[in-house]
Amino acid sequence: MTATPMVLSEGVHKSFGSLEVLKGIDLAVQPGEVCCLLGPSGSGKSTFLRCINHLEKINAGRLSVDGQLVGYRQQGDKLYELREKETAAARADIGMVFQRFNLFPHMTALGNVMEAPQKVKGLSKAEARDRGRALLERVGLSDKVDAYPAQLSGGQQQRVAIARALAMQPKLMLFDEPTSALDPELVGEVLDVMRGLAADGMTMVVVTHEMMFAKDVGDTAVFMDGGVVVERGNPREVLTNPQQERTRAFLGKVL
Amino acid sequence: MTAPERLVAVPVRHYGRYVGAVVVLVALGLLVRAFAQADLQWSLTKHFFTFHTIVAGAGRTLLISVLSQALGIVLGVVVAVMRQSGNPVTSGVGWLYVWLFRGTPVLLQLFLWYNLGLVFQTLSFPGLGSAQTADVMTPFLAALLGLGINEGAYMAEIVRAGIAAVDEGQTEAAQALGMSRGLTLRRIVLPQAMRVIIPPTGNEFINMLKTSSLAFAITYPELTLAARDIYTNNLKVFELLFAAAAWYLLMTTVFSIGQFYLERRFARGSSRSLPVTPIQRLRTLVGTGRQR
Ligand SMILES: Nc1ncnc2c1ncn2[C@@H]1O[C@H](COP(=O)(O)OP(=O)(O)O)[C@@H](O)[C@H]1O
Ligand SMILES: [Mg+2]
């Protein structure tokens, strides 16, 4: 018997109006696995990531996280959408890091990290503060706890965003091109934090164009194009010896 | 050829500005002289400025303005959120509210509230019993409802613009952290919308201080009515109107200053440094300020 996959996607379809963006995604991510999602712009990577925590509703197929359907309850052959509260509770266990950081600009770094544990999980202020300080230290920002996002560099903001997601003690972390909005010299500091997370055994789904990161840290690489998974496997295999023509074409452009 | 370092840069001379300034100053001087020589007893204006009914009137103007604006803000937030709702009935009611109260004169609305007793003789409050409308609908309450509900329609538009100005990524980040819609609105969206909401709200309040004078028409004894009551007896029309005007100017000035500091507070986090306050600027000028 194998363990329950952390993410299990079976035939997931998603359309925006008449535009079908996901055309049946089949994918399993095991606990502790670092899964790197690669693919050209517009291939549906962000959309798939957002479906995993129900920021987008799927139109067909099944998506479950840690054995629980995302956003729905199955009864017979029908899926009933969950109430907002239930969806919110499920999301609290899934951390998400955005390309554009999306820190709360009216709160300090520590305030950003303390917000959800305090207001969603009901931690006391002291507990939330202790947890927040520890996490900011972990991402190397213990001297920036009282800084507002506008006073931080992009790399520092993204590290705060990672700490903010970790503060909810998620079982799964989703990263949507976390280094794409950064100046090249700031990419390393963010990737280092993610590398540390992977080493600690966090399950991660990472949309990235950082091929070195995918090779070094990824357990699997998944190549998406046109709303389907074209190829998946060991990152070294997929990146150095792709089996599919579309993967080869894409890698030829980015490498 | 002159050496480049010896060239002198001559700024543009604005002769027109000097002429303009002289014309304006002369006109102003004539106006001041006219009023100084007019048949006006300035000492009376000073006397009435601190006269108890005028001071009480100013107090009521302040009271009704603060309460009406507060009611307007609460209604504005509620209606703005209603209009965002996915439920067409809820958003439709919000739209109807704005349409009705923004589309009719506030004076007319004041008369409607004041005369409510003509169409509803009794008001019943479930669980609290009922009362004669005429007893409940005092000039004060009619003024509060008339001004506050009208203001709510304007505030709804202001709040809506404020919410729309907040980046969608903020809501997404909050939801990804497991925050509910209500919590997201209260903790993340509205505080950021404040920066957009506060400046026009300050203007709304300063308008309210003056619009509240319309409540004189339903016999609410605010500042303008207090002044009028006195001058209909003693016929010192200008003296009293100037005393009232001085109170209005005092109030609007004080609140304009308050608005500056409020805006400054909510600018926190949106820029690297806050705007300098006049006092800080003064300190820097006289050299006692801390180096920034
Ligand atoms: N909210 C939306 N409404 C309409 N179309 C969308 C929306 N989000 C994404 N799309 C479209 O879906 C496609 C895939 O987008 P996305 O998932 O962002 O791709 P990727 O992240 O791989 O670049 C694009 O064509 C995009 O324009
Ligand atoms: Mg994307």
Side-chain angles (χ1 to χ4, degrees), chain A residues 41-109:
Chain A
S41 177
S43 56
K45 306 180 298 293
S46 297
T47 304
F48 179 61
L49 218 55
R50 294 157 56 80
C51 287
I52 296 179
N53 68 358
H54 204 53
L55 283 177
E56 302 286 359
K57 295 175 194 177
I58 65 177
N59 301 115
R62 281 159 53 105
L63 227 175
S64 57
V65 170
D66 202 16
Q68 297 242 302
L69 281 182
V70 174
Y72 297 91
R73 184 165 34 87
Q74 186 164 13
Q75 243 169 33
D77 57 355
K78 282 218 178 78
L79 294 180
Y80 294 92
E81 189 171 7
L82 294 180
R83 297 183 175 286
E84 193 220 331
K85 243 191 189 153
E86 301 166 301
T87 306
R91 281 196 192 116
D93 290 337
I94 305 172
M96 186 156 193
V97 174
F98 302 86
Q99 184 175 351
R100 311 242 13 264
F101 328 135
N102 296 353
L103 287 182
F104 306 135
H106 57 303
M107 297 179 182
T108 62

Side-chain angles (χ1 to χ4, degrees), chain B residues 12-287:
Chain B
V12 178
R13 296 269 154 83
H14 298 280
Y15 297 110
R17 283 190 195 167
Y18 294 116
V19 177
V22 168
V23 169
V24 169
L25 282 176
V26 167
L28 203 63
L30 289 174
L31 195 69
V32 167
R33 202 179 63 152
F35 271 97
Q37 292 176 347
D39 186 11
L40 267 169
Q41 288 170 270
W42 288 105
S43 61
L44 267 184
T45 291
K46 221 172 116 190
H47 165 72
F48 280 115
F49 184 74
T50 51
F51 190 65
H52 65 95
T53 38
I54 293 292
V55 174
R60 289 201 191 88
T61 286
L62 190 60
L63 179 73
I64 198 71
S65 302
V66 168
L67 293 180
S68 302
Q69 188 66 44
L71 178 60
I73 290 171
V74 171
L75 288 172
V77 171
V78 170
V79 172
V81 172
M82 281 172 73
R83 289 189 69 176
Q84 291 222 316
S85 164
N87 182 335
V89 175
T90 311
S91 62
V93 168
W95 179 88
L96 193 71
Y97 173 92
V98 174
W99 180 72
L100 260 179
F101 289 99
R102 221 170 48 149
T104 53
V106 62
L107 185 57
L108 185 149
Q109 291 171 35
L110 284 167
F111 285 140
L112 282 176
W113 288 109
Y114 189 51
N115 294 304
L116 201 66
L118 296 178
V119 284
F120 302 105
Q121 269 83 23
T122 54
L123 292 175
S124 51
F125 305 97
L128 292 170
S130 62
Q132 291 298 115
T133 307
D135 300 337
V136 178
M137 197 53 75
T138 57
F140 170 78
L141 186 62
L144 175 62
L145 292 175
L147 295 171
I149 291 174
N150 179 259
E151 181 59 27
Y154 288 90
M155 283 307 302
E157 291 297 287
I158 291 172
V159 173
R160 195 164 72 121
I163 290 175
V166 178
D167 182 25
E168 254 183 282
Q170 293 290 309
T171 308
E172 259 175 29
Q175 288 187 333
L177 286 165
M179 294 172 76
S180 65
R181 276 163 59 113
L183 195 59
T184 303
L185 190 71
R186 206 153 41 77
R187 297 283 307 173
I188 307 302
V189 176
L190 282 181
Q192 292 183 61
M194 280 307 202
R195 212 158 39 86
V196 178
I197 293 172
I198 283 177
T201 303
N203 295 340
E204 286 294 306
F205 179 67
I206 283 168
N207 266 330
M208 179 65 85
L209 282 168
K210 298 170 295 170
T211 310
S212 66
S213 64
L214 290 177
F216 95 96
I218 54 169
T219 72
Y220 179 66
E222 46 65 61
L223 184 52
T224 303
L225 183 56
R228 203 183 68 146
D229 276 350
I230 300 173
Y231 78 60
T232 44
N233 281 320
N234 69 4
L235 304 179
K236 300 294 180 191
V237 179
F238 268 70
E239 286 83 348
L240 274 146
L241 287 179
F242 276 173
W247 271 111
Y248 280 116
L249 279 171
L250 181 68
M251 288 190 278
T252 52
T253 306
V254 167
F255 281 102
S256 302
I257 294 169
Q259 186 182 0
F260 173 84
Y261 282 95
L262 202 63
E263 280 175 29
R264 191 171 176 275
R265 186 171 178 284
F266 277 95
R268 209 178 41 180
S270 65
S271 67
R272 279 163 195 250
S273 61
L274 292 172
V276 190
T277 67
I279 291 173
Q280 286 172 338
R281 196 175 302 162
L282 203 67
R283 283 219 189 102
T284 326
L285 214 63
V286 296

Side-chain angles (χ1 to χ4, degrees), chain A residues 2 7 16 19 50 66 76 78 114 116 122 125 127 133 140-141 158 169-170 177 197 213 219 243 247 251:
Chain A
T2 54
V7 180
F16 293 108
L19 176 71
R50 294 157 56 80
D66 202 16
K78 282 218 178 78
M114 286 170 64
K125 196 168 178 180
E127 288 171 308
R133 282 185 186 280
L141 290 172
Q158 195 59 300
Q169 302 181 321
E177 301 195 33
L197 267 183
F213 178 85
D219 297 306
Q243 300 302 306
T247 317
L251 292 175

